[in-house]
């Protein structure tokens, strides 16, 4: 189930993806959300973002043609990587 969308950007910060009560209900049912992270040249930001991902959430990094190794960094940090050739935030989501 994909219910959260986050945007990678300079200075990205994850505060909370779901209220704790909602997250607890999902954990109780064995269902946790996917988090879609559209990314273009975000290799420097991804370790912090992916490291802050709550346990049980699946990070899906949509690489939008990065040239800085974004996909490799995402894979190294356990994310699923999807490549989107059509440029733009809307295409990456």
């Amino acid at each position: 189930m994909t219910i959260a969308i986050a945007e990678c950007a300079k200075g990205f910060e994850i505060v909370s993806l779901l209220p704790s009560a909602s997250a607890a209900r999902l954990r109780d049912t064995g269902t946790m959300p996917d988090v879609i992270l559209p990314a273009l040249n975000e290799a420097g930001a991804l370790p912090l973002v992916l490291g802050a991902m709550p346990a049980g959430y699946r990070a899906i990094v949509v690489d939008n043609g990065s040239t800085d190794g974004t996909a490799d960094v995402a894979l190294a940090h356990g994310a699923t990587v999807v490549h989107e050739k059509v440029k733009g935030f809307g295409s990456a989501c």
Side-chain angles (χ1 to χ4, degrees):
M1 161 177 29
T2 303
I3 64 171
I5 298 176
E7 179 180 356
C8 284
K10 195 172 188 177
F12 186 91
E13 179 180 345
I14 292 180
V15 177
S16 176
L17 296 175
L18 282 177
S20 57
S22 296
R25 277 194 304 277
L26 288 171
R27 270 193 299 276
D28 290 346
T29 64
T31 303
M32 291 302 288
D34 296 338
V35 179
I36 299 172
L37 299 160
L40 177 60
N41 294 327
E42 296 289 353
L46 281 176
L48 175 67
V49 172
L50 295 172
M53 198 72 64
Y57 284 60
R58 182 174 71 147
I60 302 172
V61 173
V62 182
D63 185 10
N64 207 207
S66 298
T67 59
D68 68 346
T70 291
D72 293 332
V73 170
L75 288 169
H77 285 85
T80 298
V81 175
V82 176
H83 297 276
E84 176 54 60
K85 294 180 182 183
V86 178
K87 298 286 187 193
F89 183 82
S91 295
C93 288

